[in-house]
Coordinates of all heavy atoms in Angstrom, one line a residue:
M1456 N 29.4 60.6 6.3 CA 28.4 61.7 6.4 C 28.1 62.1 4.9 O 29.2 62.3 4.1 CB 29.0 62.8 7.2 CG 28.1 64.0 7.3 SD 28.9 65.2 8.4 CE 27.4 66.1 8.8
T1457 N 27.0 62.5 4.6 CA 26.7 63.0 3.2 C 26.2 64.5 3.3 O 25.6 64.9 4.2 CB 25.5 62.2 2.7 OG1 25.8 60.8 2.7 CG2 25.2 62.6 1.2
Q1458 N 26.8 65.4 2.4 CA 26.4 66.7 2.4 C 26.1 67.1 0.9 O 26.6 66.6 0.0 CB 27.6 67.6 2.8 CG 28.0 67.4 4.2 CD 29.2 68.2 4.5 OE1 30.0 68.3 3.7 NE2 29.2 68.8 5.7
R1459 N 25.0 67.9 0.8 CA 24.7 68.5 -0.4 C 25.5 69.7 -0.7 O 25.5 70.6 0.0 CB 23.1 68.6 -0.6 CG 22.8 68.8 -2.0 CD 21.2 68.9 -1.9 NE 20.7 69.3 -3.3 CZ 20.6 68.5 -4.4 NH1 20.8 67.2 -4.4 NH2 20.1 69.0 -5.5
A1460 N 26.1 69.8 -1.9 CA 27.0 70.9 -2.2 C 26.5 71.3 -3.5 O 26.7 70.8 -4.6 CB 28.4 70.7 -2.2
G1461 N 25.6 72.5 -3.6 CA 25.1 72.8 -5.0 C 24.1 71.9 -5.5 O 23.3 71.5 -4.6
D1462 N 24.5 71.4 -6.6 CA 23.4 70.3 -7.2 C 24.1 68.9 -7.1 O 23.8 67.9 -7.7 CB 23.1 70.6 -8.7 CG 24.4 70.6 -9.5 OD1 25.3 70.7 -9.0 OD2 24.1 70.5 -10.7
R1463 N 25.2 68.8 -6.2 CA 25.9 67.7 -6.2 C 26.0 67.1 -4.8 O 25.9 67.9 -3.8 CB 27.4 67.7 -6.7 CG 27.4 68.0 -8.1 CD 27.4 66.7 -8.8 NE 27.5 66.8 -10.2 CZ 27.5 65.9 -11.1 NH1 27.3 64.7 -10.7 NH2 27.6 66.2 -12.3
W1464 N 26.0 65.7 -4.5 CA 26.0 65.1 -3.1 C 27.6 64.8 -3.0 O 28.1 64.3 -3.8 CB 25.2 63.8 -3.0 CG 23.8 64.1 -3.1 CD1 22.8 64.0 -4.0 CD2 23.0 64.4 -1.8 NE1 21.6 64.4 -3.7 CE2 21.6 64.6 -2.2 CE3 23.2 64.6 -0.5 CZ2 20.5 64.9 -1.4 CZ3 22.2 64.9 0.4 CH2 20.9 65.0 -0.1
R1465 N 28.0 65.1 -1.8 CA 29.3 64.7 -1.4 C 29.2 63.8 -0.2 O 28.6 64.1 0.7 CB 30.2 65.9 -1.1 CG 30.3 66.8 -2.3 CD 31.3 68.0 -2.0 NE 31.2 69.0 -3.0 CZ 31.8 69.0 -4.1 NH1 32.7 68.0 -4.4 NH2 31.8 70.0 -5.0
W1466 N 30.0 62.8 -0.1 CA 30.1 61.9 1.0 C 31.5 61.7 1.4 O 32.5 61.5 0.6 CB 29.5 60.5 0.5 CG 29.5 59.4 1.4 CD1 29.1 59.5 2.8 CD2 30.0 58.1 1.3 NE1 29.2 58.3 3.3 CE2 29.9 57.4 2.6 CE3 30.6 57.3 0.3 CZ2 30.1 56.0 2.7 CZ3 30.8 56.1 0.5 CH2 30.8 55.4 1.7
H1467 N 31.7 61.9 2.7 CA 33.0 61.6 3.2 C 33.0 60.2 3.9 O 32.4 60.0 5.1 CB 33.3 62.7 4.3 CG 33.1 64.1 3.7 ND1 34.2 64.6 2.9 CD2 32.1 65.0 3.8 CE1 33.8 65.8 2.6 NE2 32.6 66.1 3.1
P1468 N 33.5 59.3 3.2 CA 33.4 57.8 3.8 C 34.2 57.6 5.1 O 35.2 58.2 5.3 CB 34.0 57.0 2.6 CG 34.9 58.0 1.8 CD 34.2 59.4 2.1
P1469 N 33.5 56.7 5.8 CA 34.4 56.3 7.0 C 35.6 55.5 6.7 O 35.6 55.0 5.6 CB 33.3 55.4 7.8 CG 32.4 54.9 6.7 CD 32.3 56.0 5.7
A1470 N 36.5 55.4 7.6 CA 37.7 54.7 7.3 C 37.6 53.2 7.1 O 38.2 52.7 6.1 CB 38.7 54.9 8.6
D1471 N 36.6 52.5 7.7 CA 36.5 51.0 7.5 C 35.3 50.9 6.2 O 34.1 51.2 6.5 CB 35.9 50.4 8.8 CG 35.7 48.9 8.6 OD1 36.2 48.4 7.5 OD2 35.0 48.3 9.3
L1472 N 35.8 50.4 5.1 CA 34.9 50.3 3.9 C 35.0 48.8 3.7 O 34.9 48.5 2.5 CB 35.4 51.0 2.8 CG 35.1 52.6 2.9 CD1 35.7 53.4 1.9 CD2 33.6 52.8 3.1
T1473 N 34.9 47.9 4.6 CA 34.8 46.4 4.3 C 33.5 46.0 4.4 O 32.7 46.7 5.3 CB 35.8 45.6 5.1 OG1 35.3 45.9 6.7 CG2 37.3 46.1 5.1
G1474 N 33.1 45.0 3.8 CA 31.7 44.3 3.9 C 30.8 44.8 2.9 O 31.0 45.8 2.1
P1475 N 29.5 44.0 2.9 CA 28.7 44.3 1.8 C 28.0 45.6 1.9 O 27.7 46.3 1.0 CB 27.6 43.2 1.9 CG 27.9 42.6 3.3 CD 29.3 42.9 3.6
R1476 N 27.8 46.1 3.2 CA 27.1 47.5 3.2 C 27.9 48.7 2.7 O 27.5 49.6 2.1 CB 26.9 47.9 4.7 CG 25.7 47.1 5.4 CD 25.5 47.5 6.8 NE 24.5 46.7 7.3 CZ 24.2 46.6 8.6 NH1 24.8 47.4 9.4 NH2 23.3 45.8 9.1
A1477 N 29.4 48.5 2.9 CA 30.2 49.5 2.3 C 30.2 49.4 0.8 O 30.1 50.4 0.2 CB 31.6 49.3 2.8
A1478 N 30.1 48.3 0.2 CA 30.1 48.2 -1.2 C 28.7 48.7 -1.8 O 28.8 49.5 -2.8 CB 30.1 46.6 -1.6
I1479 N 27.6 48.6 -1.1 CA 26.4 49.3 -1.5 C 26.4 50.6 -1.3 O 26.0 51.5 -2.2 CB 25.1 48.6 -0.7 CG1 25.0 47.1 -1.1 CG2 23.9 49.3 -0.8 CD1 24.1 46.3 -0.1
A1480 N 27.0 51.2 -0.3 CA 27.2 52.6 0.0 C 28.0 53.2 -1.1 O 27.7 54.4 -1.5 CB 27.7 52.8 1.3
L1481 N 29.1 52.6 -1.5 CA 30.0 53.2 -2.5 C 29.2 53.2 -3.9 O 29.3 54.2 -4.6 CB 31.2 52.3 -2.7 CG 32.2 52.4 -1.6 CD1 33.4 51.4 -1.6 CD2 32.9 53.8 -1.5
L1482 N 28.4 52.1 -4.2 CA 27.6 52.2 -5.4 C 26.6 53.2 -5.4 O 26.3 54.0 -6.4 CB 26.9 50.8 -5.7 CG 27.8 49.6 -6.0 CD1 27.1 48.3 -5.9 CD2 28.6 49.9 -7.4
A1483 N 25.9 53.4 -4.2 CA 24.9 54.5 -4.1 C 25.5 55.9 -4.2 O 25.0 56.8 -4.9 CB 24.2 54.4 -2.7
H1484 N 26.8 56.1 -3.6 CA 27.5 57.4 -3.8 C 27.8 57.6 -5.2 O 27.6 58.7 -5.7 CB 28.7 57.2 -2.9 CG 29.8 58.4 -3.3 ND1 30.8 58.3 -4.1 CD2 29.7 59.5 -2.8 CE1 31.5 59.4 -4.2 NE2 30.8 60.3 -3.4
D1485 N 28.2 56.6 -6.0 CA 28.6 56.8 -7.4 C 27.4 57.2 -8.1 O 27.4 58.0 -9.0 CB 29.0 55.5 -8.1 CG 30.5 55.1 -7.6 OD1 31.2 56.0 -6.9 OD2 31.0 54.0 -7.7
L1486 N 26.1 56.6 -7.8 CA 24.9 56.9 -8.5 C 24.6 58.3 -8.2 O 24.3 59.2 -9.1 CB 23.8 55.9 -8.1 CG 22.5 56.2 -8.7 CD1 22.4 56.2 -10.2 CD2 21.4 55.3 -8.2
L1487 N 24.6 58.6 -6.9 CA 24.1 60.1 -6.4 C 25.0 61.2 -7.0 O 24.6 62.3 -7.2 CB 24.0 60.1 -5.0 CG 22.9 59.4 -4.4 CD1 22.9 59.3 -2.9 CD2 21.6 59.9 -4.8
T1488 N 26.3 60.9 -7.2 CA 27.3 62.0 -7.7 C 27.4 61.9 -9.2 O 28.2 62.6 -9.7 CB 28.6 61.8 -7.0 OG1 29.0 60.5 -7.2 CG2 28.4 62.1 -5.5
S1489 N 26.6 61.0 -9.8 CA 26.9 61.0 -11.4 C 25.8 61.9 -12.0 O 25.0 62.5 -11.3 CB 26.6 59.6 -11.8 OG 25.3 59.1 -11.5
D1490 N 25.8 61.9 -13.3 CA 24.8 62.7 -14.1 C 23.6 61.9 -14.1 O 23.4 61.2 -14.8 CB 25.3 63.0 -15.4 CG 24.4 63.9 -16.2 OD1 23.3 64.3 -15.6 OD2 24.7 64.1 -17.4
L1491 N 22.5 62.5 -13.3 CA 21.2 61.8 -13.1 C 20.2 61.9 -14.3 O 19.3 61.2 -14.4 CB 20.5 62.1 -11.8 CG 21.1 61.6 -10.6 CD1 20.4 62.1 -9.3 CD2 21.4 60.2 -10.5
R1492 N 20.6 62.8 -15.3 CA 19.9 62.9 -16.4 C 20.0 61.6 -17.3 O 19.1 61.3 -18.1 CB 20.4 64.1 -17.4 CG 20.0 65.4 -16.7 CD 20.6 66.6 -17.5 NE 22.1 66.5 -17.3 CZ 22.8 67.4 -18.0 NH1 22.4 68.3 -18.6 NH2 24.2 67.2 -17.9
A1493 N 21.1 60.8 -16.9 CA 21.2 59.6 -17.7 C 20.5 58.4 -17.1 O 20.5 57.2 -17.5 CB 22.7 59.3 -17.8
A1494 N 19.8 58.7 -15.9 CA 19.1 57.6 -15.1 C 18.0 57.2 -15.9 O 17.0 57.9 -16.4 CB 18.8 58.1 -13.7
R1495 N 17.8 55.8 -16.0 CA 16.6 55.3 -16.7 C 16.1 54.1 -15.8 O 16.8 53.5 -15.1 CB 17.0 54.7 -18.0 CG 17.6 55.6 -18.9 CD 16.7 56.4 -19.8 NE 17.4 57.3 -20.7 CZ 18.0 58.4 -20.5 NH1 17.9 58.9 -19.2 NH2 18.5 59.1 -21.3
Q1496 N 14.8 53.7 -16.0 CA 14.3 52.5 -15.4 C 14.2 51.4 -16.5 O 13.8 51.7 -17.6 CB 12.9 52.9 -14.8 CG 12.4 51.7 -14.0 CD 11.2 52.1 -13.1 OE1 10.5 53.0 -13.3 NE2 10.8 51.1 -12.1
C1497 N 14.5 50.3 -16.0 CA 14.6 49.1 -16.9 C 13.2 48.9 -17.6 O 12.2 49.1 -16.9 CB 14.9 47.9 -16.1 SG 15.0 46.4 -17.3
G1498 N 13.3 48.5 -18.9 CA 12.0 48.4 -19.7 C 11.3 47.2 -19.4 O 10.1 46.9 -19.9
D1499 N 11.8 46.2 -18.5 CA 11.3 45.0 -18.2 C 10.2 45.2 -17.2 O 10.4 45.9 -16.2 CB 12.3 44.0 -17.6 CG 11.7 42.6 -17.4 OD1 10.8 42.5 -16.4 OD2 12.0 41.7 -18.1
D1500 N 8.9 44.7 -17.4 CA 7.8 44.9 -16.6 C 8.0 44.5 -15.2 O 7.6 45.1 -14.2 CB 6.5 44.3 -17.1 CG 6.1 45.0 -18.4 OD1 6.5 46.2 -18.6 OD2 5.4 44.5 -19.3
A1501 N 8.7 43.3 -15.0 CA 9.0 42.7 -13.7 C 10.2 43.2 -13.0 O 10.4 42.8 -11.9 CB 9.0 41.2 -13.9
C1502 N 11.0 43.9 -13.6 CA 12.3 44.4 -13.1 C 12.3 45.6 -12.1 O 12.2 45.5 -11.1 CB 13.3 44.5 -14.2 SG 15.0 45.0 -13.6
G1503 N 12.2 46.8 -12.8 CA 12.1 48.0 -12.2 C 13.4 48.6 -11.6 O 13.4 49.6 -10.9
W1504 N 14.5 47.9 -12.0 CA 15.9 48.5 -11.6 C 16.1 49.7 -12.4 O 15.6 50.1 -13.4 CB 16.9 47.5 -11.9 CG 17.1 46.4 -11.0 CD1 16.3 45.4 -10.8 CD2 18.1 46.4 -10.0 NE1 16.9 44.5 -9.7 CE2 18.0 45.2 -9.2 CE3 19.3 47.1 -9.8 CZ2 18.8 44.7 -8.2 CZ3 20.1 46.7 -8.7 CH2 19.9 45.5 -8.0
V1505 N 16.9 50.7 -11.7 CA 17.3 51.9 -12.3 C 18.9 51.8 -12.6 O 19.6 51.2 -11.8 CB 17.1 53.1 -11.3 CG1 17.7 54.4 -11.9 CG2 15.6 53.2 -11.0
Y1506 N 19.2 52.4 -13.8 CA 20.4 52.3 -14.3 C 20.9 53.5 -14.9 O 20.0 54.4 -15.3 CB 20.7 51.1 -15.3 CG 19.8 51.2 -16.5 CD1 20.4 51.8 -17.6 CD2 18.6 50.8 -16.6 CE1 19.5 52.0 -18.8 CE2 17.7 50.9 -17.7 CZ 18.3 51.5 -18.8 OH 17.5 51.8 -19.9
L1507 N 22.2 53.7 -15.2 CA 22.7 54.9 -15.9 C 23.0 54.5 -17.4 O 23.7 53.6 -17.7 CB 23.9 55.5 -15.3 CG 23.8 55.9 -13.7 CD1 25.2 56.4 -13.3 CD2 22.8 57.2 -13.8
D1508 N 22.3 55.2 -18.2 CA 22.4 55.0 -19.7 C 23.6 55.6 -20.2 O 23.6 56.8 -20.6 CB 21.2 55.4 -20.4 CG 21.3 55.0 -21.9 OD1 22.3 54.5 -22.3 OD2 20.3 55.2 -22.6
T1509 N 24.8 54.9 -20.3 CA 26.0 55.6 -20.7 C 26.3 55.1 -22.2 O 27.4 55.3 -22.6 CB 27.2 55.3 -19.8 OG1 27.3 53.8 -19.7 CG2 27.0 55.9 -18.4
S1510 N 25.2 54.6 -22.7 CA 25.5 54.1 -24.2 C 25.8 55.3 -25.1 O 25.2 56.4 -24.8 CB 24.3 53.2 -24.7 OG 23.2 54.1 -24.7
P1511 N 26.5 55.1 -26.2 CA 26.8 56.4 -27.1 C 25.5 57.1 -27.7 O 25.5 58.2 -27.7 CB 27.6 55.7 -28.2 CG 28.1 54.4 -27.7 CD 27.1 54.0 -26.6
R1512 N 24.4 56.3 -27.9 CA 23.2 56.9 -28.6 C 22.1 57.1 -27.3 O 21.0 57.5 -27.8 CB 22.6 56.0 -29.8 CG 23.7 56.2 -30.8 CD 23.5 55.2 -31.9 NE 21.9 54.9 -32.2 CZ 21.6 54.0 -32.9 NH1 22.6 53.4 -33.7 NH2 20.5 53.7 -33.2
H1513 N 22.5 56.8 -26.2 CA 21.5 56.9 -25.1 C 20.1 56.3 -25.4 O 19.2 56.8 -25.2 CB 21.2 58.3 -24.8 CG 22.6 59.1 -24.4 ND1 23.3 58.8 -23.4 CD2 23.3 60.0 -25.2 CE1 24.4 59.6 -23.3 NE2 24.3 60.4 -24.5
N1514 N 20.3 55.0 -25.9 CA 19.0 54.4 -26.3 C 19.0 53.0 -25.6 O 18.3 52.1 -26.1 CB 18.9 54.1 -27.8 CG 20.1 53.5 -28.4 OD1 21.1 53.1 -27.7 ND2 20.1 53.1 -29.7
R1515 N 19.6 52.9 -24.6 CA 19.6 51.5 -23.7 C 18.2 51.3 -23.1 O 17.6 52.3 -22.7 CB 20.6 51.6 -22.7 CG 20.9 50.3 -22.0 CD 22.2 50.3 -21.0 NE 22.0 49.6 -20.0 CZ 22.7 49.7 -18.9 NH1 23.7 50.4 -18.9 NH2 22.5 48.7 -17.9
I1516 N 17.7 50.2 -23.1 CA 16.3 49.8 -22.7 C 16.4 49.0 -21.4 O 15.6 49.1 -20.5 CB 15.5 49.2 -23.7 CG1 15.4 49.9 -24.9 CG2 14.1 48.7 -23.1 CD1 14.7 49.2 -26.2
W1517 N 17.3 48.0 -21.4 CA 17.3 47.1 -20.1 C 18.4 47.4 -19.2 O 19.4 48.0 -19.5 CB 17.6 45.6 -20.8 CG 16.8 45.4 -22.1 CD1 17.2 45.2 -23.2 CD2 15.4 45.4 -22.1 NE1 16.3 45.1 -24.1 CE2 15.1 45.1 -23.5 CE3 14.2 45.5 -21.2 CZ2 13.8 45.0 -23.9 CZ3 13.0 45.5 -21.7 CH2 12.7 45.2 -23.1
C1518 N 18.2 46.9 -18.0 CA 19.3 47.1 -16.9 C 20.6 46.4 -17.3 O 21.7 46.9 -17.2 CB 18.8 46.8 -15.6 SG 18.3 45.1 -15.4
T1519 N 20.3 45.2 -17.8 CA 21.5 44.3 -18.2 C 21.0 43.6 -19.5 O 20.0 43.2 -19.6 CB 21.8 43.3 -17.2 OG1 20.7 42.3 -17.0 CG2 22.2 43.7 -15.8
A1520 N 22.1 43.6 -20.5 CA 21.6 43.0 -21.8 C 21.5 41.5 -21.5 O 20.7 40.7 -22.2 CB 22.8 43.3 -22.7
A1521 N 22.4 40.8 -20.6 CA 22.3 39.4 -20.4 C 21.2 38.9 -19.6 O 20.8 37.9 -19.8 CB 23.6 39.0 -19.7
G1522 N 20.6 39.8 -18.9 CA 19.5 39.5 -18.0 C 18.1 39.8 -18.7 O 17.6 39.1 -19.4
C1523 N 17.7 41.0 -18.3 CA 16.4 41.5 -18.8 C 16.5 41.6 -20.4 O 15.4 41.4 -21.0 CB 16.1 42.9 -18.2 SG 15.7 42.7 -16.4
G1524 N 17.5 42.0 -20.9 CA 17.5 42.2 -22.4 C 17.2 40.8 -23.1 O 16.5 40.7 -23.9
N1525 N 18.1 39.8 -22.7 CA 18.0 38.6 -23.2 C 16.5 37.9 -23.1 O 15.8 37.4 -24.0 CB 19.0 37.7 -22.7 CG 19.1 36.3 -23.4 OD1 19.2 36.3 -24.7 ND2 19.0 35.3 -22.7
R1526 N 16.1 38.1 -21.8 CA 14.7 37.6 -21.4 C 13.7 38.2 -22.4 O 12.8 37.5 -23.0 CB 14.5 37.7 -20.1 CG 13.1 37.1 -19.6 CD 13.0 37.1 -18.1 NE 13.1 38.5 -17.5 CZ 14.1 38.8 -16.7 NH1 15.1 38.0 -16.5 NH2 14.2 40.0 -16.3
N1527 N 13.6 39.4 -22.7 CA 12.8 40.1 -23.5 C 12.9 39.9 -25.0 O 11.9 39.8 -25.6 CB 12.8 41.6 -23.3 CG 12.0 42.1 -21.9 OD1 10.7 42.0 -21.9 ND2 12.8 42.0 -20.8
R1528 N 14.1 39.7 -25.4 CA 14.4 39.2 -26.8 C 13.9 38.0 -27.1 O 13.2 37.6 -28.1 CB 15.9 39.2 -27.2 CG 16.4 40.7 -27.4 CD 17.8 40.7 -27.9 NE 18.8 40.2 -26.9 CZ 19.3 41.0 -25.9 NH1 19.0 42.3 -25.9 NH2 20.2 40.6 -25.1
V1529 N 14.0 37.0 -26.1 CA 13.5 35.6 -26.2 C 11.9 35.6 -26.3 O 11.3 35.1 -27.1 CB 13.9 34.6 -25.2 CG1 13.3 33.3 -25.2 CG2 15.4 34.5 -25.3
K1530 N 11.3 36.5 -25.4 CA 9.9 36.6 -25.3 C 9.4 37.1 -26.7 O 8.4 36.7 -27.1 CB 9.5 37.5 -24.2 CG 8.0 37.4 -23.7 CD 7.6 38.4 -22.7 CE 8.6 38.9 -21.7 NZ 8.0 39.8 -20.8
R1531 N 10.0 38.2 -27.3 CA 9.6 38.7 -28.4 C 9.8 37.8 -29.6 O 8.9 37.7 -30.4 CB 10.4 40.0 -28.9 CG 9.5 41.3 -28.7 CD 10.3 42.5 -29.1 NE 11.2 42.9 -28.2 CZ 12.4 43.5 -28.4 NH1 12.5 44.0 -29.5 NH2 13.1 43.9 -27.3
H1532 N 10.7 36.9 -29.6 CA 11.0 35.9 -30.6 C 9.9 34.9 -30.6 O 9.3 34.6 -31.7 CB 12.4 35.3 -30.5 CG 12.6 34.2 -31.5 ND1 13.0 34.4 -32.7 CD2 12.6 32.8 -31.1 CE1 13.0 33.2 -33.4 NE2 12.9 32.2 -32.5
H1533 N 9.6 34.3 -29.4 CA 8.5 33.4 -29.3 C 7.1 34.0 -29.7 O 6.3 33.3 -30.3 CB 8.5 32.9 -27.9 CG 9.5 31.9 -27.6 ND1 9.4 30.5 -28.0 CD2 10.7 32.0 -26.9 CE1 10.5 30.0 -27.8 NE2 11.3 30.8 -27.0
A1534 N 6.8 35.2 -29.5 CA 5.5 35.9 -29.8 C 5.5 35.9 -31.3 O 4.5 35.7 -31.9 CB 5.5 37.3 -29.1
R1535 N 6.7 36.3 -31.9 CA 6.6 36.4 -33.5 C 6.4 35.1 -34.1 O 5.8 35.0 -35.1 CB 8.0 37.0 -33.9 CG 7.9 38.6 -33.9 CD 9.1 39.2 -34.7 NE 10.4 38.5 -34.2 CZ 11.1 39.1 -33.5 NH1 10.9 40.3 -33.0 NH2 12.3 38.6 -33.1
S1536 N 7.1 34.0 -33.6 CA 7.0 32.7 -34.2 C 5.6 32.0 -34.0 O 5.4 31.1 -34.7 CB 8.1 31.7 -33.6 OG 8.8 32.1 -32.5
R1537 N 4.9 32.4 -33.0 CA 3.6 31.8 -32.8 C 2.6 32.3 -33.8 O 1.5 31.7 -33.9 CB 3.0 32.2 -31.5 CG 3.6 31.3 -30.3 CD 2.8 31.5 -29.1 NE 3.9 31.5 -28.0 CZ 4.0 32.5 -27.1 NH1 3.1 33.4 -27.1 NH2 5.0 32.4 -26.2
V1538 N 2.7 33.4 -34.4 CA 1.8 34.0 -35.4 C 1.8 33.2 -36.7 O 2.7 32.7 -37.1 CB 2.2 35.5 -35.7 CG1 1.2 36.1 -36.8 CG2 2.1 36.3 -34.5
Ligands
ZN1289 ZN1 16.0 45.0 -15.7

């Protein structure tokens, strides 16, 4: 059961937390109870994932450096080399 208390969500998890639904619910709980001012949408046009920017300078652009970050760095490199 989820309850809103002030500006925070509180969730009282059921006893059985096995399986993929429980893992997703726990991740959603972590997101909803975290500081949403750090929530950002990935800079990749085809991605759209939302992540928490916990970087020291709060200047993270991609949801993952290895996925969207790498793909966009490669795309930019190819665009520069064609000129
Ligand atoms: Zn992304």
Side-chain angles (χ1 to χ4, degrees):
M1456 177 180 202
T1457 305
Q1458 294 177 321
R1459 189 169 171 86
D1462 62 346
R1463 293 281 181 178
W1464 288 95
R1465 293 183 197 279
W1466 178 48
H1467 303 287
D1471 181 13
L1472 286 175
T1473 57
R1476 284 185 188 169
I1479 292 168
L1481 288 170
L1482 290 170
H1484 170 263
D1485 288 348
L1486 179 64
L1487 290 172
T1488 56
S1489 61
D1490 184 0
L1491 292 180
R1492 287 175 297 182
R1495 307 273 185 277
Q1496 188 167 19
C1497 180
D1499 185 290
D1500 293 337
C1502 177
W1504 277 75
V1505 174
Y1506 61 91
L1507 293 175
D1508 183 0
T1509 55
S1510 64
R1512 291 172 30 188
H1513 306 289
N1514 59 351
R1515 189 171 146 193
I1516 300 171
W1517 319 113
C1518 62
T1519 61
C1523 290
N1525 188 53
R1526 187 171 49 253
N1527 281 276
R1528 281 188 293 275
V1529 169
K1530 195 185 329 178
R1531 253 188 280 157
H1532 174 75
H1533 282 284
R1535 277 195 306 261
S1536 8
R1537 277 188 225 133
V1538 176

